[in-house]
Amino acid sequence: MTCRANLTTQKRLASSVLKCGQRKDIRKLVKSGLIFKKPQASHSRFRIREHAAAKRLGRHSGHGKRKGTAEARMPTSVLWMRRMRVLRNLLRKYREQGKIDRHMYQELYVKSKGNVFKNKRVLMEYIHKAKTENARIKALKDQAEAHRLRNKASRERRAQRIAAKRDALISGEQ
């Protein structure tokens, strides 16, 4: 490493002795090219950009590059908040679209808070399963209700037939 001396005083003395510190002399030297302005040293960001691009692809993040704990690098509370926001936004969207009713929304909201769904995909699968199950139960209920009504109607018809026969027998005896 070279040590550079402070030459401001020497330069001032030289300009006073040689009488060359006047502006016109300096202008002449600039014009002739003996004095020129040094270009500003550039501070290239090429290497930084390359490194950042590599990091986006997952490079340079092995064990040797880590300083903080896993919790310090990506807090679990932040992950939890992100997950809750994603799930709650999905539930809100589905409720507004009419894909789920308010009862199902409330049930799923509480379940998602209780850490039942680990991500959006799992929640969507659960909603689809629940909807198909509800539809199946509703179809079975409707079927049972129709069966019940049919049986009731046949019972009533049978009772009417028996009553008609009884009336015919009673009227026939008299």
Side-chain angles (χ1 to χ4, degrees):
M1 186 172 155
T2 57
C3 185
R4 296 186 136 192
N6 190 1
L7 301 174
T8 49
T9 354
Q10 285 89 328
K11 286 175 184 172
R12 187 176 50 75
L13 286 168
S15 68
S16 64
V17 169
L18 300 169
K19 305 275 190 292
C20 66
Q22 283 82 22
R23 273 214 175 111
K24 61 181 180 201
D25 297 336
I26 289 170
R27 280 208 186 97
K28 198 173 12 173
L29 292 170
V30 167
K31 203 169 187 181
S32 67
L34 283 170
I35 296 177
F36 58 89
K37 187 180 176 186
K38 283 173 105 178
Q40 198 169 8
S42 67
H43 188 187
S44 173
R45 287 195 54 81
F46 173 77
R47 287 185 301 278
I48 290 98
R49 283 196 205 99
E50 287 278 295
H51 194 263
K55 279 197 77 123
R56 275 194 291 277
L57 294 172
R59 315 291 187 265
H60 314 292
S61 57
H63 290 298
K65 290 288 182 181
R66 298 177 196 173
K67 291 283 186 175
T69 60
E71 181 67 24
R73 287 162 64 83
M74 179 45 72
T76 50
S77 59
V78 170
L79 292 172
W80 173 260
M81 282 189 286
R82 280 184 191 166
R83 178 152 50 117
M84 283 301 102
R85 283 174 186 161
V86 165
L87 297 178
R88 287 173 181 176
N89 286 340
L90 180 77
L91 286 174
R92 202 173 305 120
K93 191 174 79 174
Y94 273 19
R95 185 183 58 183
E96 284 165 5
Q97 289 174 352
K99 289 185 178 179
I100 56 174
D101 61 342
R102 59 194 180 89
H103 303 293
M104 194 181 216
Y105 170 84
Q106 191 57 44
E107 179 193 332
L108 294 174
Y109 188 96
V110 173
K111 276 184 189 272
S112 62
K113 187 181 179 182
N115 200 17
V116 174
F117 312 112
K118 76 172 192 176
N119 56 35
K120 189 172 163 179
R121 181 179 52 79
V122 173
L123 174 60
M124 285 165 76
E125 284 173 6
Y126 184 92
I127 288 170
H128 292 312
K129 277 184 187 168
K131 282 176 75 174
T132 53
E133 183 63 24
N134 287 349
R136 193 178 70 81
I137 288 169
K138 190 175 183 297
L140 287 173
K141 274 185 182 175
D142 291 346
Q143 200 176 357
E145 184 63 31
H147 199 66
R148 214 174 290 119
L149 288 171
R150 202 170 37 232
N151 285 347
K152 191 177 180 186
S154 67
R155 265 199 311 274
E156 286 173 358
R157 279 198 307 275
R158 187 163 178 254
Q160 285 173 351
R161 262 199 320 272
I162 291 170
K165 278 184 182 176
R166 193 179 304 125
D167 289 344
L169 279 173
I170 293 171
S171 62
E173 286 175 2
Q174 291 175 352

